[in-house]
Structures are given as C-alpha cells and as structure tokens.
Amino acid sequence: MTTDELELDAGLEASTPVWAVFGDLMAGLLGAFVLILLFALASQLELASRLENEVRQRQLETQRRTELERALAVPLAAGRVTLDHGRIGISGSVLFGFNSAELQPEGRQLLKSLAAPLATYLQSRDEALMVSGFTDDRLMRGGKNQVFADNWELSAQRALTVTRTLIEEGVPASAVFAAAFGAEQPVASNDSAEGRAKNRRVEMSPTPRPSREAASSP
C-alpha cells in the first residue's frame, strides 16, 4: 500500500467518529424539536378546549338569564321586582313593615304572582331557589315588645316567611330554601335613608341542585 493510500485510510478513520457524533447530535435535536412541537400542540389544544368551555358557559348563562327574564316579564315590566345577574330582588318595604316579618297584602300578592313562573322555570332547569333575607345596619331596638334578638334573626324570619309563602302558592318545597345575611352584603350605603331602604330587601336566586352522586356519597 502506498503512502497516499495509508494517509487516506487514516483520514477516513479519523473523520468517522466526528460524523457519528454529528449524526447523534442531529438526531437528539430532532427528537427535542418533536417533543417541543408535541408540547406546543397539546398546550394549544388545551387552551382551545378551555376557551370553548368558557364560551359554552357564557352562552348557557345568557340563555338562563333570558329565560328568567321571560318568566318574570310581567313583574319586571311593572317595576315590582329587579333582576341583576340572575338575582331577583324585592324591596323589603314592599313585603314587610318596619321590624316585622309579617307579609303585607301587597307583598303577598306579589309573591303569589311570582310563584307560578318561578315553579315552571325551576322545573324546566332542575334548579332550586335560594331565598335570602337582608337588613340595614341599624340595631334592633330593645324593649318588651321586641320580637327579634338581632338583624340576623329578623332577616332569617323574613326569608322563611317568603319561602313558606312561595310553597303555599305552588313552588315545590324541595325546590326552595331560605338563607339569612342580616346587615351583611349591603348594596348601598347605610349612611342615608335611601341607602338603608335598598339594603332592606329579599333576594331570590336560582341555583344548581347538588348532584345525586354527591348527595349519596359518604
């Protein structure tokens, strides 16, 4: 073998490991690129699924509000109730006298007009109605004729009165429940008579029923 042939063989032997390492490096880079691409695609799919779910939830909420507005069209048009983000509001002065949990005739008539459309709405969506009582922040007055210990008790009794009246007028007992908030969660300042009047209210909010699976689990 000539000297040139020997030098050529030596060059080939020396260059072979370099190409092998380069090939391994390229294969590694290609694998990393594929992994990054797959991760990006998975992230995009997850983001698209999340956005789709959010859009669907907003559409369902809009549909829910539209159905509720349709069910309460008459009292809403008459200004007897308000509807804000799915919460039906009734002024406390319409339903009750001062420091009283006894329904006034106007309040009873209003609840009677609401019972049928509410019952139909709740049944169509398999939801329950939470009746919440609220007061202003003025303390209950003392004295021998005081019936309620505090604003919590007054708001609770008012919520119960509305709940029982709705049941009497046809709303299924299994589809309505009462809650009391006292002077908490005001919607206006208690520094003025107008603000206190707004805070003395009863709200009714349709809510999803607990799933049967959750209710039956230990």
Side-chain angles (χ1 to χ4, degrees):
M1 183 178 290
T2 64
T3 302
D4 292 339
E5 290 175 339
L6 291 173
E7 291 178 353
L8 179 61
D9 289 342
L12 290 173
E13 292 177 358
S15 62
T16 299
V18 174
W19 284 107
V21 171
F22 180 76
D24 291 342
L25 177 61
M26 291 302 295
L29 289 175
L30 179 60
F33 175 77
V34 171
L35 289 175
I36 293 173
L37 180 60
L38 290 175
F39 178 78
L41 289 174
S43 299
Q44 289 293 329
L45 289 174
E46 182 182 359
L47 179 60
S49 177
R50 189 181 308 163
L51 290 175
E52 184 179 354
N53 288 334
E54 290 181 0
V55 170
R56 188 182 299 111
Q57 289 298 323
R58 291 179 182 177
Q59 290 175 341
L60 290 174
E61 182 64 22
T62 300
Q63 180 184 1
R64 173 177 176 270
R65 292 178 185 175
T66 301
E67 291 177 358
L68 193 56
E69 289 176 357
R70 187 181 299 116
L72 302 175
V74 174
L76 281 171
R80 304 178 74 187
V81 300
T82 60
L83 186 60
D84 182 23
H85 293 85
R87 297 193 305 271
I88 306 162
I90 306 176
S91 172
S93 60
V94 173
L95 298 173
F96 306 103
F98 183 69
N99 282 354
S100 172
E102 182 177 352
L103 273 177
Q104 301 183 128
E106 179 186 2
R108 179 171 293 278
Q109 187 62 35
L110 175 57
L111 294 179
K112 183 176 181 179
S113 70
L114 294 176
L118 282 174
T120 302
Y121 173 83
L122 295 172
Q123 182 179 8
S124 67
R125 298 186 61 86
D126 193 26
E127 293 182 342
L129 187 70
M130 181 174 72
V131 179
S132 303
F134 302 84
T135 68
D136 58 36
D137 66 346
R138 290 179 297 179
L139 298 177
M140 297 294 297
R141 296 174 181 174
K144 62 181 181 179
N145 294 325
Q146 181 173 332
V147 178
F148 306 103
D150 52 29
N151 287 333
W152 286 100
E153 187 174 341
L154 174 60
S155 66
Q157 189 56 54
R158 286 180 170 177
L160 284 171
T161 298
V162 172
T163 298
R164 289 166 177 156
T165 302
L166 290 174
I167 293 173
E168 292 172 2
E169 297 298 337
V171 177
S174 60
V176 60
F177 61 97
F181 291 87
E184 305 301 323
Q185 301 187 20
V187 293
S189 172
N190 281 299
D191 294 334
S192 66
E194 181 181 359
R196 290 191 296 270
K198 291 181 179 179
N199 293 330
R200 296 191 301 270
R201 69 197 190 279
V202 171
E203 290 183 353
M204 296 179 287
S205 305
T207 61
R209 289 177 181 268
S211 64
R212 291 179 175 84
E213 291 79 4
S216 60
S217 63

